[in-house]
Amino acid sequence: MVDVSDYVADHGLVPVDDPKSGRLTFRRKSFNAVAGQEQMDQAISKAARRQRTAANLSRAELAVLLGSLEQVYGRYERALTKFHATQILHMCELLRVFPDDFLFDAAPHLWGATPEEANERRRVIQLIQRLPAEQMKLVARILDSILAFESAS
């Protein structure tokens, strides 16, 4: 077995029993605790439902666009079946949203060290995503300047 103890320690990972495989896995804490896979699946399913309704599509309509059946797609929204990354990307294409619109609530700690930082980073990302291309280039230059100034200090 490979010794990854330094990596675990350096990245603040905690051991978690994976009930599905029966093996030990390592995860990052989500602010106060480690979110279970079931919690994350529920959050992704809720986001899928939210994005579908925001697009004013019924389950049946989205299922057709996905090449699926309404009953099959319904199991995804009820978290009875897990989404695959490729399905989420396909839904992003159809609904004209970004992957983080599905994933943020499932793992907000990936966006920041505190709930406040995660929400603010997510807000900034959403603002940038709405910018036209030319304005996005300007924001990128501003951010490059800020980071260059920070590294020079």
Side-chain angles (χ1 to χ4, degrees):
M1 185 165 148
V2 177
D3 183 8
V4 294
S5 55
D6 288 341
Y7 189 88
V8 168
D10 292 346
H11 291 82
L13 303 176
V14 294
V16 176
D17 288 319
D18 180 4
K20 190 169 184 167
S21 71
R23 291 185 169 174
L24 193 62
T25 65
F26 291 85
R27 301 274 314 281
R28 274 183 44 197
K29 284 186 180 178
S30 177
F31 307 127
N32 297 325
V34 175
Q37 287 189 2
E38 188 173 324
Q39 289 174 287
M40 291 190 297
D41 290 333
Q42 290 285 341
I44 293 169
S45 293
K46 187 177 178 182
R49 185 172 33 259
R50 184 176 59 246
Q51 295 302 332
R52 174 185 56 77
T53 13
N56 202 28
L57 291 170
S58 69
R59 280 185 180 173
E61 291 166 331
L62 184 56
V64 166
L65 296 172
L66 290 167
S68 185
L69 301 171
E70 179 181 2
Q71 298 83 352
V72 173
Y73 176 74
R75 289 196 291 265
Y76 288 103
E77 278 196 11
R78 292 189 306 276
L80 299 174
T81 304
K82 295 179 182 191
F83 280 104
H84 294 279
T86 52
Q87 291 166 313
I88 290 174
L89 293 171
H90 188 183
M91 290 178 62
C92 288
E93 291 173 350
L94 296 173
L95 302 174
R96 301 184 64 93
V97 297
F98 293 91
D100 52 326
D101 293 321
F102 284 87
L103 304 176
F104 178 78
D105 290 339
H109 62 287
L110 297 178
W111 278 259
T114 65
E116 297 77 20
E117 180 185 337
N119 287 325
E120 189 65 11
R121 187 178 311 275
R122 173 82 169 111
R123 186 177 79 79
V124 169
I125 290 168
Q126 288 176 316
L127 292 170
I128 290 170
Q129 289 169 336
R130 293 196 327 239
L131 289 175
E134 284 306 309
Q135 290 177 345
M136 190 171 54
K137 288 179 185 176
L138 176 60
V139 169
R141 284 194 297 256
I142 292 168
L143 293 174
D144 286 338
S145 298
I146 290 170
L147 291 172
F149 180 76
E150 288 293 318
S151 64
S153 297

